[in-house]
Every structure is written in C-alpha cells, then in structure tokens.
Amino acid sequence: MSKLRYAAIRGMFELLWASHLPGLIRRLSRSRGVIFTLHRVLPEPPADFSPNAILQVTPDFLEFTINRVRQLGLDIVDLDEAVRRIEAPERQRPFAVFTFDDAYRDNLRYALPVLRRTQCPFTLYVPTALVDGVGEVWWQALEDIIAQRDAIAVTYLGETDYLPTKTLAEKLEAYDDLYGRLRAMPEADRVALIRALAGQYGVDLDAHCRALIMDWSELKTFAGDQLCTIGAHTVHHYELAKLTPVEARNEIEQSVRIIKAQFGKAPIHLSYPIGSPVAAGEREFAIARDLGLRTAVTTRPGGIYGRHKDSLHALPRISLNGLFQARRYVDVFATGAIFSHMPG
C-alpha cells in the first residue's frame, strides 16, 4: 500500500473520529457485527524498514481494543455464536470476533495472556506446513534479506536484476517491487525464487519458519484453551486461486485432516491465505462449502449482515492494521458499515 493511500486512510479515520460519526453509524446500521483480522502481537516497535509492520500490533493495543469494543456495546463471541446471530431471523446484539492468521509464535507469548486476562474468545487459523517447519514465511524472509544488504541480485527466467537496497527508500522500493513480482507468479515459481534468493544470501527458510511459527506442541496450549477455536489456513499458505481445482481442494482438505490428527477434532472454520479477491473467489468459496466447512473468511473489508447467512464461506473481515494503532481509531474499526463499501 502506497504512502499516499495510507495517508488518505489515516485522514479519513481522523475525520470520522472527530465527527463522532462511527457511533451514529453503528446505531443506524443493520450490520450484525465485525470480524477482526490479526496476525502478530509484539511489544517492541518495528524497525524503520519493516514493510510487514502492517501485520503486527502491540499487546497494549490488543487489550485496549478488546475492552473498547465491549464498551461500545459489542459482544465478543466465537465463530459458532457469530453464525447463530447471522442466521437469526432478527438482528440481535452486535458482535465482534477476533481472529489470528498464521500461528505466529508471538501469539503464544504476547497475545494469549491478553486474551485470557480479558476472557476474549478468538480463532487461530493454522497453516499446517508452516507449523511443521517446512513452509516459507516468504513475505518476512524477503524483508529480512533486504534489511541486511546494500544490494541484491534477483534471477528469474534467465534474467538477473540488480536492486540497490542501501537506503531506507531503496529498501522499500526493492521490497515493493519484489513482493509484487512474487505475488504475481505461479506458486511453484514463487517458492523456487524465494528459496533461490534465500540460499544465495544465506537464509535457511526452514529455520526461519520454525523461529516465527509455533510447532504442534506449542499449539496444544491453544487447542486446549476453551477461549480458542482452531481453524484451518490450508497446508502451504498458497493463494488458492493460483492452483488447479484439485490442488486447491487438497490444500484445504489436507489441512483439516492434519489438524484433526493432531488434536482429535476437525476444524470447521477456514481462512483463505491472503484472502483478497485475486487470492480467493467463487471457486474457492464453493470448495470450502462442498468440504462441509461451516465458515470461511476473506480479507475483503466489511461488516457482517443478515445477508451473509447465504455466503458464510465468503465472510469479510476488518484488519487491525499495525500502522493504525491510535486508540481513537478503534471506534472506526468497530463500525463495520464504514468498511462495507471499500474495495477488497
């Protein structure tokens, strides 16, 4: 996301907060609730070059958000209760659901104590290959490679590009360029390129993954907690829309089977990796429905309405973005109707 777009969103948030419109919108809206997207929870501020800082919030901000949402009159519920309220004939008390993607290890150290202290139900979506320590947290690996070097060489399809990465501006430009390229590639090409790049610059991607993502023994702490709902997040965290129908189905189905084998219970809730319109669409929604999953969430922004009873496998979420951690913005985040007409 460009600096210009961030500035525009921040300006919009400031205007909305100062106008007190979120409260009025919540009172008038037919929105039944919101589902929040989170990833990492870390106490320390990010470095100057941290393009993935959008994925992290502080424990203090998480706790404030939980408490503030309740003050605003929303019930914090699990996904099963959210579905019940979505499907109810009449609108009930508005709800909020807290969801965490990717099973980052910092969720265990920093998020779980907050969630327990505030008695906040939540869902943790688990990508099974990453938990096995054999996947690629490629977006973070790319950041880490660029952060440590003054220039990098990238070879793809026989052509080599040399990118300067000495200054902060150069690092940000290189990251945006390469992230865009990697997102546009077929998944097999992306895996090959990031593994070649990591090997070239001495990064062990499996060790990198094990350092960032919980293992199965750590996840047992979550699976045994009554506040936690374990959900599926596929096997390899691939963008499903890039895969063949058989591959996409296997990514979901195998992740469900692996989680059941680990914890004795099959997950019935799914999060699509990346979750944007280009990463998951009608085909993926149909696969999730056909596999018998109860819900599946995207990252398309929006509140939850009664109409979503007919699209439980394409639920929108609102990201608690790490670059927008001002406490006054929580009133905006909690107002689903504000986000319901934003592009995905």
Side-chain angles (χ1 to χ4, degrees):
M1 188 183 290
S2 69
K3 289 183 179 179
L4 187 61
R5 188 179 178 194
Y6 277 128
I9 292 174
R10 188 170 287 108
M12 180 190 71
F13 280 11
E14 291 288 352
L15 285 171
L16 286 166
W17 174 78
S19 69
H20 302 289
L21 269 176
L24 177 62
I25 292 171
R26 281 193 303 276
R27 287 194 295 273
L28 298 178
S29 170
R30 300 305 298 166
S31 173
R32 297 198 173 191
V34 293
I35 303 175
F36 292 125
T37 310
L38 298 105
H39 291 82
R40 309 194 67 182
V41 179
L42 293 165
E44 61 270 11
D48 289 341
F49 173 65
S50 298
N52 288 298
I54 59 174
L55 300 179
Q56 69 184 67
V57 300
T58 66
D60 287 347
F61 183 74
L62 173 60
E63 187 159 2
F64 176 84
T65 301
I66 291 167
N67 291 330
R68 181 58 180 163
V69 162
R70 285 174 169 151
Q71 290 172 1
L72 293 173
L74 283 74
D75 293 336
I76 299 177
V77 302
D78 62 20
L79 279 169
D80 293 333
E81 173 62 15
V83 170
R84 191 187 70 77
R85 296 193 189 192
I86 293 168
E87 293 181 331
E90 299 296 331
R91 182 172 179 262
Q92 301 180 1
R93 278 178 58 87
F95 65 82
V97 180
F98 283 76
T99 67
F100 295 78
D101 286 6
D102 301 340
Y104 283 101
R105 179 166 283 117
D106 51 68
N107 290 180
L108 176 61
R109 183 172 181 183
Y110 298 112
L112 188 57
V114 172
L115 296 162
R116 284 175 168 172
R117 184 163 58 248
T118 57
Q119 285 295 289
C120 175
F122 65 97
T123 298
L124 182 70
Y125 293 112
V126 176
T128 58
L130 272 60
V131 177
D132 285 333
V134 296
E136 305 87 22
V137 189
W138 65 266
W139 53 94
Q140 186 62 50
L142 179 63
E143 175 184 317
D144 294 345
I145 291 167
I146 293 172
Q148 298 166 12
R149 285 161 184 85
D150 291 342
I152 60 171
V154 183
T155 301
Y156 181 60
L157 297 178
E159 296 187 4
T160 301
D161 287 338
Y162 296 91
L163 303 177
T165 57
K166 185 174 184 178
T167 68
L168 176 59
E170 287 172 343
K171 290 181 186 297
L172 290 169
E173 183 176 357
Y175 184 89
D176 288 345
D177 178 11
L178 291 174
Y179 179 86
R181 288 197 224 176
L182 287 161
R183 282 288 309 279
M185 289 177 188
E187 291 298 292
D189 290 0
R190 179 191 56 73
V191 170
L193 180 55
I194 195 65
R195 287 208 165 263
L197 195 62
Q200 182 179 336
Y201 292 108
V203 176
D204 182 336
L205 283 180
D206 290 343
H208 182 264
C209 179
R210 287 193 294 272
L212 287 170
I213 306 298
M214 286 183 276
D215 60 29
W216 291 109
S217 64
E218 291 169 313
L219 273 174
K220 285 182 181 177
T221 302
F222 285 87
D225 196 300
Q226 63 179 359
L227 292 170
C228 181
T229 299
I230 296 291
H233 200 34
T234 74
V235 176
H236 295 97
H237 201 276
Y238 293 158
E239 293 184 60
L240 296 176
K242 292 182 180 180
L243 306 180
T244 67
V246 171
E247 290 170 337
R249 183 183 179 93
N250 284 341
E251 277 288 316
I252 299 172
E253 191 169 25
Q254 289 301 320
S255 69
V256 170
R257 289 178 177 174
I258 291 167
I259 292 170
K260 182 180 180 181
Q262 289 288 338
F263 301 130
K265 182 179 180 181
I268 60 172
H269 303 288
L270 169 73
S271 170
Y272 303 107
I274 307 296
S276 66
V278 298
E282 293 299 329
R283 186 193 70 173
E284 288 67 45
F285 305 158
I287 291 172
R289 183 175 59 249
D290 292 346
L291 285 172
L293 290 157
R294 191 72 174 102
T295 72
V297 294
T298 69
T299 56
R300 304 180 189 202
I304 304 297
Y305 293 83
R307 65 176 180 270
H308 284 108
K309 69 180 186 299
D310 298 320
S311 55
L312 291 173
H313 301 90
L315 294 174
R317 289 189 290 177
I318 295 171
S319 175
L320 291 180
N321 188 304
L323 300 186
F324 299 97
Q325 290 188 70
R327 291 186 170 193
R328 59 188 177 276
Y329 295 164
V330 174
D331 289 28
V332 180
F333 285 127
T335 311
I338 291 174
F339 297 84
S340 293
H341 301 292
M342 289 185 175

